[in-house]
Amino acid sequence: MNKTILKTYNLTKNFGALRASDKISIDLRVGEIHGLIGPNGAGKTTLIAQIMGGLKPDSGLIEFDGTDITSFTTESRAQAGLGRTFQISQLAMDQTVLQNVVLGTVGERGGVWNFWRPVLAIQELRERAMESLSDVGLADKAATPVSELSHGGRRQLEVAIALTLNPKAFVMDEPMAGLGSDGSKKMTIFLDNLRTRAPILLVEHDMEAVFALSDRISVLVSGMVIATGSVDQIRNDARVRKAYLGEGS
Amino acid sequence: MILTRENILNFVITAGLILVPIYAVIVEEPFTITLATRAVIFSLAAVGLNIALGLGGMVSLGHAVFFGLGGYTMGILAFHAQSYIPLFEWPILIEGTKQMLVVWPLAMIISAIAAFVIGLLSLRTGGVYFIMITLAFGQMFFFFSISWSAYGGEDGLSIYVRNQFPLVNTLVPIQFYAICLAILMLALWINARLAKSSFGLALSAARQNTERVRNVGLDPTSIKLVAFVISGAITGLAGALFADLNRFVSPTMFSWQLSGEIMVFIIIGGIGRLYGPVLGAIIFVTLEHFLGGISEYWLVFLGLLLLLIVLFSRGGLVGLLVGRERVHE
Ligand SMILES: Nc1ncnc2c1ncn2[C@@H]1O[C@H](COP(=O)(O)OP(=O)(O)O)[C@@H](O)[C@H]1O
Ligand SMILES: [Mg+2]
């Protein structure tokens, strides 16, 4: 079995009376895509936010690459090698696509305290950024201001920025959301190849994509992981069918 | 340099700043030179604020603190120099000075330290709270300067002779103007380089989306803090020059009205635009002179102009004249 890179132990988070995370213990292993599914409001985004440091868990631990990162800031987690994409795009809207990606390379390579050299003229950063844009198929949009980029383009850009960080693990919150069937298919093929670079904890609503991509799947309902297993195990799990899959299909 | 409409406008403004005072020398109108000097110094103060406000999105209503600290640094050093009373005798003897090349770095360092402390405390908050805290710091310095009777208190400090600069006769208005203009140009150059640097990119991203910046492993707060310090130091330098222009410093340099005026220059000219603060300060000083002579209520006209600009142009006058900024090259 492959090495575990990311692990949560009994993560619990309450919003007032609402238990959004209820003793969540999941892990991500090197080389895999671990799909995380669950109905709307199940607590998927809340879990991601705790893994990335945007929310503090009430109790529980998060371990990444052998280190307890529960008390790390978001920026330290990114530096440690967690690359994240958001459910709702978080981008510098007044900047160009290229500038957004170059920011990622600055984060990864360092040099943010350079006050003098035009950053877009630094070949090393620029090439790295263009590489990531080519990977996601956005190279021809490099000069476009993000405010003029389509919704699908912004989703791709999110992924491109995460790529520049050269992370040890990706944490993606619904990367297919709003992509349309064509865009979803392309993204599915892209993520399929990405797992060899770094494993992915993939929150996704698109069932077809999750079942096609995942090595393992965890099902979250009302803040609780009710099942973890292979695609077949999840498909045939009675509790999952009752609690979740039964609803839609 | 690429010939964009914005670059052409910047060139025209620069040419005006060079030619108008030369013309004033030829037709012997020294007061025009004084007005131009005032405009250039205000521009410099606003270029400082524009780094915090325009690039970093920090709405500081306390930048008069730095303007005043720069002014009082100059005033206090000159006061000790002209009265032959040392500033400190212990542990080492420090005397006053009339050398601009000593005054300026000191004014910048003191303003930078103040900006560091104020930034550290106010950057924990955002939005309206940031505005209120910076405003509160401004008022604190204002009342402190009023009560500090050793240096004139409410009446301020008069300086007999303008400070000196090697090889220049600073008493000749056009020569002092040339010094101020050279500093403004240098500050604009630094501003332009900074905006395009790695730091500038991260600062502008931190203004637009802090989550984005955090998630690439950068700390938006320390980036903004450094920008606030640079911003304060530049405005502090402007304060030292302003004190030299008037040969007088007083608590009004710390007043919230002055903080507001510096911000108004930027809003008129264009927030975040390189020459926005310059265009805004020139228009302000010109209106202040001509309308201020006609009616006491000239500020009403200024308010009207401000309202029109805010309503009709997102990028201030620069935006109105040359359109949106080119974001890419
Ligand atoms: N900041 C918050 N304050 C209060 N309740 C929240 C907050 N964030 C999320 N919630 C609630 O927690 C639950 C889980 O939300 P979320 O993690 O966004 O679900 P998912 O991503 O699975 O759709 C929802 O009921 C949501 O309303
Ligand atoms: Mg969600």
Side-chain angles (χ1 to χ4, degrees), chain A residues 52 74-75 78-79 84 86 90-96 98-99 107 111-119 143 158 161 165, chain B residues 189 193-194 196-199 201-202 204-205 207-209 211-212 214-219 222-223 226 230 314 327-328:
Chain A
M52 287 310 303
T74 299
E75 45 270 29
Q79 277 166 8
R84 179 239 200 125
F86 291 87
Q90 301 290 339
L91 300 161
M93 300 300 280
D94 290 347
Q95 291 178 354
T96 62
L98 182 63
Q99 284 175 316
V112 71
W113 303 117
N114 188 328
F115 298 87
W116 201 247
R117 207 165 148 203
V119 65
E158 284 261 330
I161 298 172
L165 301 180
Chain B
W189 186 44
R193 293 290 300 221
L194 185 136
K196 289 191 169 157
S197 70
S198 303
F199 177 77
L201 181 76
S204 135
R207 177 190 79 232
Q208 298 171 54
N209 196 322
E211 273 306 297
R212 170 38 62 214
R214 279 200 187 94
N215 281 277
V216 299
L218 300 171
D219 172 21
S222 56
I223 291 167
V226 169
I230 296 171
R314 221 182 117 212
V327 287
H328 188 65

Short mmCIF file of all heavy atoms in Angstrom, two decimals, chain A residues 52 74-75 78-79 84 86 90-96 98-99 107 111-119 143 158 161 165, chain B residues 189 193-194 196-199 201-202 204-205 207-209 211-212 214-219 222-223 226 230 314 327-328:
data_model
loop_
_atom_site.label_atom_id
_atom_site.label_comp_id
_atom_site.label_asym_id
_atom_site.label_seq_id
_atom_site.Cartn_x
_atom_site.Cartn_y
_atom_site.Cartn_z
N MET A 52 -7.17 23.31 4.82
CA MET A 52 -6.32 24.40 4.30
C MET A 52 -6.08 25.52 5.31
O MET A 52 -5.36 26.47 5.02
CB MET A 52 -6.94 24.98 3.03
CG MET A 52 -6.83 24.08 1.82
SD MET A 52 -5.16 23.44 1.50
CE MET A 52 -4.19 24.93 1.35
N THR A 74 -2.67 29.16 6.76
CA THR A 74 -2.93 28.74 5.37
C THR A 74 -1.67 28.84 4.53
O THR A 74 -1.34 27.93 3.77
CB THR A 74 -4.04 29.62 4.76
OG1 THR A 74 -5.22 29.46 5.52
CG2 THR A 74 -4.31 29.24 3.32
N GLU A 75 -0.93 29.96 4.70
CA GLU A 75 0.25 30.14 3.84
C GLU A 75 1.33 29.09 4.13
O GLU A 75 2.00 28.62 3.23
CB GLU A 75 0.80 31.57 3.89
CG GLU A 75 0.93 32.21 5.26
CD GLU A 75 -0.33 32.96 5.70
OE1 GLU A 75 -1.44 32.59 5.28
OE2 GLU A 75 -0.18 33.91 6.48
N ALA A 78 0.31 25.91 2.39
CA ALA A 78 0.60 25.98 0.95
C ALA A 78 2.09 25.76 0.73
O ALA A 78 2.50 25.02 -0.17
CB ALA A 78 0.16 27.32 0.38
N GLN A 79 2.91 26.40 1.58
CA GLN A 79 4.36 26.22 1.45
C GLN A 79 4.79 24.78 1.71
O GLN A 79 5.72 24.28 1.10
CB GLN A 79 5.10 27.15 2.42
CG GLN A 79 5.27 28.55 1.88
CD GLN A 79 5.69 29.54 2.95
OE1 GLN A 79 5.98 29.15 4.08
NE2 GLN A 79 5.71 30.81 2.58
N ARG A 84 -4.40 23.95 -3.62
CA ARG A 84 -5.84 23.91 -3.44
C ARG A 84 -6.57 24.69 -4.53
O ARG A 84 -6.09 25.71 -5.00
CB ARG A 84 -6.12 24.57 -2.08
CG ARG A 84 -7.55 24.65 -1.73
CD ARG A 84 -8.01 26.05 -1.51
NE ARG A 84 -9.24 26.02 -0.72
CZ ARG A 84 -9.41 26.66 0.42
NH1 ARG A 84 -8.48 27.42 0.89
NH2 ARG A 84 -10.55 26.54 1.07
N PHE A 86 -10.55 26.30 -5.34
CA PHE A 86 -11.75 26.68 -4.61
C PHE A 86 -13.02 26.31 -5.36
O PHE A 86 -13.05 26.31 -6.59
CB PHE A 86 -11.76 28.19 -4.39
CG PHE A 86 -10.71 28.69 -3.45
CD1 PHE A 86 -9.44 28.99 -3.90
CD2 PHE A 86 -11.00 28.87 -2.11
CE1 PHE A 86 -8.47 29.46 -3.04
CE2 PHE A 86 -10.03 29.34 -1.24
CZ PHE A 86 -8.77 29.64 -1.70
N GLN A 90 -11.27 31.99 -6.52
CA GLN A 90 -10.62 33.06 -5.77
C GLN A 90 -9.44 33.53 -6.60
O GLN A 90 -8.38 32.92 -6.61
CB GLN A 90 -10.13 32.56 -4.41
CG GLN A 90 -11.22 32.00 -3.52
CD GLN A 90 -12.16 33.06 -3.00
OE1 GLN A 90 -11.82 34.24 -2.96
NE2 GLN A 90 -13.35 32.65 -2.60
N LEU A 91 -9.66 34.64 -7.32
CA LEU A 91 -8.63 35.10 -8.26
C LEU A 91 -8.49 36.61 -8.14
O LEU A 91 -9.36 37.29 -7.62
CB LEU A 91 -9.05 34.74 -9.69
CG LEU A 91 -9.23 33.24 -9.96
CD1 LEU A 91 -10.06 33.01 -11.21
CD2 LEU A 91 -7.87 32.57 -10.08
N ALA A 92 -7.35 37.12 -8.60
CA ALA A 92 -7.16 38.57 -8.68
C ALA A 92 -7.81 39.04 -9.98
O ALA A 92 -7.24 38.92 -11.04
CB ALA A 92 -5.69 38.94 -8.63
N MET A 93 -9.04 39.56 -9.85
CA MET A 93 -9.87 39.81 -11.03
C MET A 93 -9.32 40.89 -11.95
O MET A 93 -9.57 40.86 -13.15
CB MET A 93 -11.29 40.19 -10.60
CG MET A 93 -12.00 39.14 -9.78
SD MET A 93 -12.18 37.59 -10.67
CE MET A 93 -13.59 37.99 -11.68
N ASP A 94 -8.62 41.87 -11.40
CA ASP A 94 -8.11 42.97 -12.24
C ASP A 94 -6.79 42.63 -12.92
O ASP A 94 -6.26 43.41 -13.69
CB ASP A 94 -7.91 44.25 -11.40
CG ASP A 94 -9.24 44.84 -10.98
OD1 ASP A 94 -10.27 44.41 -11.52
OD2 ASP A 94 -9.24 45.72 -10.11
N GLN A 95 -6.25 41.47 -12.59
CA GLN A 95 -4.99 41.09 -13.22
C GLN A 95 -5.25 40.15 -14.40
O GLN A 95 -6.35 39.62 -14.54
CB GLN A 95 -4.08 40.39 -12.20
CG GLN A 95 -3.58 41.32 -11.12
CD GLN A 95 -2.72 40.60 -10.09
OE1 GLN A 95 -2.59 39.39 -10.11
NE2 GLN A 95 -2.16 41.37 -9.17
N THR A 96 -4.22 39.95 -15.19
CA THR A 96 -4.37 39.04 -16.32
C THR A 96 -4.24 37.60 -15.82
O THR A 96 -3.80 37.35 -14.69
CB THR A 96 -3.28 39.25 -17.37
OG1 THR A 96 -2.02 39.00 -16.77
CG2 THR A 96 -3.33 40.66 -17.94
N LEU A 98 -2.09 35.48 -16.92
CA LEU A 98 -0.67 35.21 -16.69
C LEU A 98 -0.22 35.74 -15.33
O LEU A 98 0.49 35.05 -14.59
CB LEU A 98 0.18 35.83 -17.81
CG LEU A 98 1.68 35.58 -17.68
CD1 LEU A 98 2.00 34.09 -17.79
CD2 LEU A 98 2.47 36.35 -18.74
N GLN A 99 -0.63 36.96 -14.99
CA GLN A 99 -0.22 37.53 -13.70
C GLN A 99 -0.69 36.66 -12.54
O GLN A 99 0.04 36.46 -11.57
CB GLN A 99 -0.77 38.95 -13.55
CG GLN A 99 0.00 39.97 -14.38
CD GLN A 99 -0.62 41.35 -14.32
OE1 GLN A 99 -1.83 41.50 -14.43
NE2 GLN A 99 0.21 42.37 -14.17
N GLY A 107 5.05 32.54 -5.25
CA GLY A 107 4.82 31.84 -3.99
C GLY A 107 5.71 30.61 -3.87
O GLY A 107 6.24 30.32 -2.79
N GLY A 111 10.95 35.16 -3.60
CA GLY A 111 11.26 36.39 -4.32
C GLY A 111 10.19 37.45 -4.22
O GLY A 111 10.20 38.42 -4.96
N VAL A 112 9.26 37.26 -3.27
CA VAL A 112 8.21 38.27 -3.15
C VAL A 112 8.76 39.61 -2.65
O VAL A 112 8.17 40.65 -2.85
CB VAL A 112 7.07 37.76 -2.22
CG1 VAL A 112 7.52 37.71 -0.77
CG2 VAL A 112 5.83 38.65 -2.36
N TRP A 113 9.94 39.58 -2.04
CA TRP A 113 10.52 40.84 -1.55
C TRP A 113 11.41 41.49 -2.58
O TRP A 113 12.25 42.34 -2.26
CB TRP A 113 11.28 40.61 -0.23
CG TRP A 113 10.38 40.03 0.80
CD1 TRP A 113 10.52 38.81 1.40
CD2 TRP A 113 9.17 40.59 1.35
NE1 TRP A 113 9.48 38.57 2.26
CE2 TRP A 113 8.64 39.65 2.26
CE3 TRP A 113 8.50 41.79 1.15
CZ2 TRP A 113 7.46 39.88 2.97
CZ3 TRP A 113 7.32 42.01 1.85
CH2 TRP A 113 6.83 41.07 2.76
N ASN A 114 11.24 41.10 -3.83
CA ASN A 114 11.94 41.82 -4.90
C ASN A 114 11.07 43.01 -5.32
O ASN A 114 9.97 42.83 -5.85
CB ASN A 114 12.18 40.88 -6.09
CG ASN A 114 13.06 41.53 -7.14
OD1 ASN A 114 13.02 42.75 -7.32
ND2 ASN A 114 13.83 40.72 -7.82
N PHE A 115 11.59 44.21 -5.08
CA PHE A 115 10.80 45.42 -5.31
C PHE A 115 11.11 46.07 -6.65
O PHE A 115 10.54 47.08 -7.00
CB PHE A 115 11.09 46.46 -4.22
CG PHE A 115 10.73 45.99 -2.85
CD1 PHE A 115 11.65 45.26 -2.09
CD2 PHE A 115 9.50 46.27 -2.31
CE1 PHE A 115 11.31 44.83 -0.82
CE2 PHE A 115 9.17 45.84 -1.05
CZ PHE A 115 10.07 45.12 -0.30
N TRP A 116 12.08 45.54 -7.37
CA TRP A 116 12.64 46.30 -8.48
C TRP A 116 12.47 45.64 -9.83
O TRP A 116 12.13 46.29 -10.80
CB TRP A 116 14.12 46.57 -8.17
CG TRP A 116 14.65 47.72 -8.93
CD1 TRP A 116 15.61 47.67 -9.92
CD2 TRP A 116 14.28 49.10 -8.80
NE1 TRP A 116 15.83 48.93 -10.39
CE2 TRP A 116 15.04 49.82 -9.73
CE3 TRP A 116 13.36 49.79 -8.00
CZ2 TRP A 116 14.92 51.20 -9.88
CZ3 TRP A 116 13.24 51.16 -8.15
CH2 TRP A 116 14.02 51.85 -9.07
N ARG A 117 12.70 44.33 -9.88
CA ARG A 117 12.73 43.68 -11.18
C ARG A 117 11.30 43.39 -11.68
O ARG A 117 10.51 42.83 -10.95
CB ARG A 117 13.48 42.35 -11.01
CG ARG A 117 14.14 41.89 -12.27
CD ARG A 117 15.14 40.82 -11.99
NE ARG A 117 15.17 39.92 -13.14
CZ ARG A 117 15.56 38.67 -13.10
NH1 ARG A 117 15.97 38.15 -11.95
NH2 ARG A 117 15.56 37.95 -14.18
N PRO A 118 10.99 43.81 -12.91
CA PRO A 118 9.65 43.52 -13.43
C PRO A 118 9.41 42.01 -13.43
O PRO A 118 10.16 41.25 -14.04
CB PRO A 118 9.69 44.06 -14.86
CG PRO A 118 10.75 45.09 -14.85
CD PRO A 118 11.79 44.61 -13.86
N VAL A 119 8.38 41.59 -12.73
CA VAL A 119 8.20 40.16 -12.48
C VAL A 119 7.89 39.39 -13.76
O VAL A 119 8.32 38.25 -13.92
CB VAL A 119 7.13 39.93 -11.38
CG1 VAL A 119 5.75 40.39 -11.84
CG2 VAL A 119 7.08 38.48 -10.97
N ALA A 143 -2.95 36.68 -21.84
CA ALA A 143 -3.00 38.14 -21.74
C ALA A 143 -4.39 38.68 -21.39
O ALA A 143 -4.58 39.87 -21.24
CB ALA A 143 -2.53 38.77 -23.05
N GLU A 158 -7.75 28.36 -11.87
CA GLU A 158 -7.56 27.90 -10.48
C GLU A 158 -6.61 26.70 -10.44
O GLU A 158 -5.70 26.64 -9.62
CB GLU A 158 -8.90 27.46 -9.89
CG GLU A 158 -9.82 28.59 -9.49
CD GLU A 158 -9.73 28.86 -8.00
OE1 GLU A 158 -9.46 27.92 -7.25
OE2 GLU A 158 -9.91 30.02 -7.62
N ILE A 161 -2.96 27.64 -11.32
CA ILE A 161 -2.23 28.27 -10.21
C ILE A 161 -1.76 27.19 -9.23
O ILE A 161 -0.60 27.20 -8.79
CB ILE A 161 -3.10 29.32 -9.48
CG1 ILE A 161 -3.48 30.45 -10.44
CG2 ILE A 161 -2.35 29.90 -8.28
CD1 ILE A 161 -4.49 31.42 -9.88
N LEU A 165 2.48 25.60 -7.94
CA LEU A 165 3.02 25.40 -6.60
C LEU A 165 3.79 24.09 -6.48
O LEU A 165 4.46 23.85 -5.49
CB LEU A 165 1.89 25.42 -5.56
CG LEU A 165 1.07 26.70 -5.52
CD1 LEU A 165 -0.01 26.60 -4.46
CD2 LEU A 165 1.95 27.90 -5.25
N TRP B 189 9.30 57.06 -10.33
CA TRP B 189 10.06 55.97 -10.95
C TRP B 189 10.05 54.73 -10.04
O TRP B 189 9.77 53.61 -10.48
CB TRP B 189 11.49 56.44 -11.23
CG TRP B 189 12.33 55.46 -11.99
CD1 TRP B 189 11.94 54.73 -13.09
CD2 TRP B 189 13.68 55.09 -11.72
NE1 TRP B 189 12.97 53.94 -13.52
CE2 TRP B 189 14.05 54.13 -12.69
CE3 TRP B 189 14.61 55.46 -10.75
CZ2 TRP B 189 15.32 53.56 -12.72
CZ3 TRP B 189 15.87 54.90 -10.78
CH2 TRP B 189 16.22 53.95 -11.75
N ARG B 193 8.38 51.06 -10.87
CA ARG B 193 9.12 49.80 -10.80
C ARG B 193 8.48 48.85 -9.80
O ARG B 193 8.28 47.68 -10.06
CB ARG B 193 10.58 50.05 -10.37
CG ARG B 193 11.42 50.80 -11.35
CD ARG B 193 11.75 49.99 -12.59
NE ARG B 193 12.46 48.77 -12.33
CZ ARG B 193 13.47 48.31 -13.07
NH1 ARG B 193 13.91 49.02 -14.09
NH2 ARG B 193 14.03 47.16 -12.82
N LEU B 194 8.15 49.42 -8.64
CA LEU B 194 7.57 48.61 -7.58
C LEU B 194 6.26 47.95 -8.03
O LEU B 194 6.01 46.78 -7.75
CB LEU B 194 7.32 49.52 -6.36
CG LEU B 194 6.83 48.87 -5.09
CD1 LEU B 194 7.60 49.42 -3.92
CD2 LEU B 194 5.36 49.11 -4.88
N LYS B 196 5.40 46.92 -10.86
CA LYS B 196 5.60 45.81 -11.79
C LYS B 196 6.44 44.68 -11.21
O LYS B 196 6.59 43.63 -11.84
CB LYS B 196 6.30 46.32 -13.05
CG LYS B 196 5.39 47.18 -13.88
CD LYS B 196 5.97 47.48 -15.23
CE LYS B 196 4.92 48.09 -16.11
NZ LYS B 196 5.46 48.87 -17.18
N SER B 197 6.98 44.88 -10.02
CA SER B 197 7.86 43.87 -9.42
C SER B 197 7.05 42.71 -8.84
O SER B 197 5.82 42.76 -8.81
CB SER B 197 8.68 44.52 -8.31
OG SER B 197 7.83 44.82 -7.22
N SER B 198 7.75 41.69 -8.37
CA SER B 198 7.10 40.57 -7.69
C SER B 198 6.28 41.10 -6.52
O SER B 198 5.14 40.69 -6.30
CB SER B 198 8.14 39.59 -7.15
OG SER B 198 8.96 39.13 -8.18
N PHE B 199 6.90 42.02 -5.77
CA PHE B 199 6.21 42.58 -4.61
C PHE B 199 4.93 43.29 -5.03
O PHE B 199 3.88 43.12 -4.41
CB PHE B 199 7.14 43.55 -3.88
CG PHE B 199 6.51 44.23 -2.71
CD1 PHE B 199 6.34 43.56 -1.52
CD2 PHE B 199 6.06 45.54 -2.81
CE1 PHE B 199 5.73 44.18 -0.44
CE2 PHE B 199 5.46 46.17 -1.73
CZ PHE B 199 5.29 45.49 -0.55
N LEU B 201 3.11 42.83 -7.67
CA LEU B 201 2.12 41.84 -8.12
C LEU B 201 1.40 41.23 -6.92
O LEU B 201 0.18 41.12 -6.88
CB LEU B 201 2.81 40.74 -8.93
CG LEU B 201 1.90 39.65 -9.48
CD1 LEU B 201 1.13 40.15 -10.69
CD2 LEU B 201 2.68 38.40 -9.84
N ALA B 202 2.19 40.85 -5.91
CA ALA B 202 1.61 40.22 -4.72
C ALA B 202 0.76 41.23 -3.95
O ALA B 202 -0.30 40.88 -3.43
CB ALA B 202 2.73 39.67 -3.83
N SER B 204 -0.85 43.87 -5.16
CA SER B 204 -2.09 44.12 -5.87
C SER B 204 -3.03 42.91 -5.74
O SER B 204 -4.25 43.07 -5.61
CB SER B 204 -1.78 44.49 -7.32
OG SER B 204 -2.60 43.82 -8.21
N ALA B 205 -2.46 41.71 -5.74
CA ALA B 205 -3.29 40.52 -5.54
C ALA B 205 -3.87 40.52 -4.12
O ALA B 205 -5.02 40.13 -3.91
CB ALA B 205 -2.47 39.25 -5.79
N ARG B 207 -4.67 43.06 -2.44
CA ARG B 207 -5.77 44.02 -2.41
C ARG B 207 -7.05 43.36 -2.94
O ARG B 207 -8.12 43.54 -2.41
CB ARG B 207 -5.42 45.23 -3.29
CG ARG B 207 -6.55 46.26 -3.39
CD ARG B 207 -6.28 47.30 -4.45
NE ARG B 207 -6.57 46.80 -5.78
CZ ARG B 207 -5.73 46.85 -6.79
NH1 ARG B 207 -4.54 47.36 -6.65
NH2 ARG B 207 -6.08 46.37 -7.97
N GLN B 208 -6.88 42.55 -3.99
CA GLN B 208 -8.05 42.00 -4.67
C GLN B 208 -8.60 40.75 -4.02
O GLN B 208 -9.81 40.53 -4.02
CB GLN B 208 -7.70 41.69 -6.13
CG GLN B 208 -7.30 42.93 -6.91
CD GLN B 208 -6.75 42.57 -8.28
OE1 GLN B 208 -7.39 41.87 -9.05
NE2 GLN B 208 -5.56 43.04 -8.58
N ASN B 209 -7.71 39.92 -3.49
CA ASN B 209 -8.18 38.64 -2.95
C ASN B 209 -7.14 38.03 -2.01
O ASN B 209 -6.19 37.38 -2.44
CB ASN B 209 -8.47 37.68 -4.11
CG ASN B 209 -9.31 36.51 -3.67
OD1 ASN B 209 -9.13 35.99 -2.57
ND2 ASN B 209 -10.23 36.10 -4.51
N GLU B 211 -7.41 35.56 0.05
CA GLU B 211 -7.41 34.09 0.06
C GLU B 211 -6.50 33.55 -1.04
O GLU B 211 -5.77 32.59 -0.85
CB GLU B 211 -8.83 33.55 -0.17
CG GLU B 211 -9.63 33.40 1.09
CD GLU B 211 -8.92 32.56 2.13
OE1 GLU B 211 -8.67 31.37 1.87
OE2 GLU B 211 -8.59 33.09 3.20
N ARG B 212 -6.55 34.19 -2.21
CA ARG B 212 -5.72 33.77 -3.32
C ARG B 212 -4.24 33.83 -2.92
O ARG B 212 -3.47 32.92 -3.13
CB ARG B 212 -6.02 34.67 -4.53
CG ARG B 212 -5.13 34.57 -5.72
CD ARG B 212 -4.65 33.19 -6.06
NE ARG B 212 -5.69 32.24 -6.41
CZ ARG B 212 -5.64 30.93 -6.12
NH1 ARG B 212 -4.63 30.42 -5.43
NH2 ARG B 212 -6.59 30.13 -6.48
N ARG B 214 -2.87 33.91 0.13
CA ARG B 214 -2.54 32.93 1.18
C ARG B 214 -2.33 31.55 0.59
O ARG B 214 -1.42 30.82 0.98
CB ARG B 214 -3.69 32.83 2.18
CG ARG B 214 -3.67 33.91 3.19
CD ARG B 214 -4.47 33.56 4.42
NE ARG B 214 -4.51 34.76 5.23
CZ ARG B 214 -5.48 35.64 5.17
NH1 ARG B 214 -6.54 35.41 4.42
NH2 ARG B 214 -5.44 36.74 5.89
N ASN B 215 -3.19 31.19 -0.34
CA ASN B 215 -3.15 29.82 -0.85
C ASN B 215 -2.03 29.55 -1.85
O ASN B 215 -1.87 28.43 -2.31
CB ASN B 215 -4.51 29.42 -1.43
CG ASN B 215 -5.47 29.04 -0.32
OD1 ASN B 215 -5.46 27.92 0.16
ND2 ASN B 215 -6.27 29.98 0.15
N VAL B 216 -1.25 30.59 -2.20
CA VAL B 216 -0.01 30.31 -2.92
C VAL B 216 1.17 30.41 -1.96
O VAL B 216 2.32 30.41 -2.38
CB VAL B 216 0.21 31.22 -4.15
CG1 VAL B 216 -0.90 31.03 -5.16
CG2 VAL B 216 0.37 32.67 -3.75
N GLY B 217 0.89 30.49 -0.67
CA GLY B 217 1.97 30.44 0.32
C GLY B 217 2.54 31.79 0.71
O GLY B 217 3.63 31.86 1.28
N LEU B 218 1.82 32.88 0.41
CA LEU B 218 2.32 34.21 0.77
C LEU B 218 1.42 34.82 1.84
O LEU B 218 0.22 34.57 1.87
CB LEU B 218 2.34 35.12 -0.46
CG LEU B 218 3.21 34.65 -1.62
CD1 LEU B 218 2.98 35.52 -2.85
CD2 LEU B 218 4.68 34.68 -1.22
N ASP B 219 2.03 35.64 2.70
CA ASP B 219 1.29 36.25 3.80
C ASP B 219 0.86 37.67 3.42
O ASP B 219 1.69 38.58 3.36
CB ASP B 219 2.18 36.28 5.05
CG ASP B 219 1.54 37.07 6.17
OD1 ASP B 219 0.30 37.25 6.14
OD2 ASP B 219 2.27 37.53 7.06
N SER B 222 1.84 40.75 5.90
CA SER B 222 3.19 41.32 5.94
C SER B 222 3.51 42.07 4.64
O SER B 222 4.23 43.07 4.65
CB SER B 222 4.23 40.24 6.23
OG SER B 222 4.14 39.21 5.29
N ILE B 223 2.94 41.61 3.53
CA ILE B 223 3.13 42.33 2.27
C ILE B 223 2.51 43.73 2.36
O ILE B 223 3.14 44.73 2.00
CB ILE B 223 2.50 41.53 1.10
CG1 ILE B 223 3.31 40.25 0.85
CG2 ILE B 223 2.42 42.37 -0.16
CD1 ILE B 223 2.64 39.25 -0.05
N VAL B 226 4.59 46.07 4.72
CA VAL B 226 5.78 46.64 4.09
C VAL B 226 5.38 47.78 3.14
O VAL B 226 6.02 48.83 3.11
CB VAL B 226 6.59 45.55 3.35
CG1 VAL B 226 7.66 46.17 2.48
CG2 VAL B 226 7.20 44.58 4.35
N ILE B 230 6.62 51.76 3.27
CA ILE B 230 7.18 52.51 2.14
C ILE B 230 6.32 53.75 1.88
O ILE B 230 6.83 54.86 1.69
CB ILE B 230 7.21 51.61 0.87
CG1 ILE B 230 8.16 50.43 1.08
CG2 ILE B 230 7.61 52.43 -0.35
CD1 ILE B 230 8.10 49.38 -0.02
N ARG B 314 -14.31 55.65 -12.99
CA ARG B 314 -13.73 54.82 -11.95
C ARG B 314 -12.25 55.13 -11.76
O ARG B 314 -11.74 55.03 -10.66
CB ARG B 314 -13.90 53.35 -12.34
CG ARG B 314 -14.28 52.46 -11.18
CD ARG B 314 -14.38 51.04 -11.62
NE ARG B 314 -13.38 50.24 -10.94
CZ ARG B 314 -12.79 49.19 -11.48
NH1 ARG B 314 -13.07 48.83 -12.70
NH2 ARG B 314 -11.90 48.51 -10.81
N VAL B 327 -3.26 46.26 -18.45
CA VAL B 327 -2.81 45.40 -17.36
C VAL B 327 -1.68 44.49 -17.80
O VAL B 327 -1.10 43.78 -17.00
CB VAL B 327 -3.95 44.54 -16.79
CG1 VAL B 327 -4.88 45.39 -15.99
CG2 VAL B 327 -4.69 43.82 -17.91
N HIS B 328 -1.38 44.47 -19.07
CA HIS B 328 -0.44 43.46 -19.52
C HIS B 328 0.47 43.99 -20.62
O HIS B 328 0.10 44.90 -21.33
CB HIS B 328 -1.22 42.26 -20.05
CG HIS B 328 -0.34 41.09 -20.36
ND1 HIS B 328 0.35 40.44 -19.37
CD2 HIS B 328 -0.05 40.48 -21.51
CE1 HIS B 328 1.03 39.47 -19.92
NE2 HIS B 328 0.81 39.47 -21.22
#
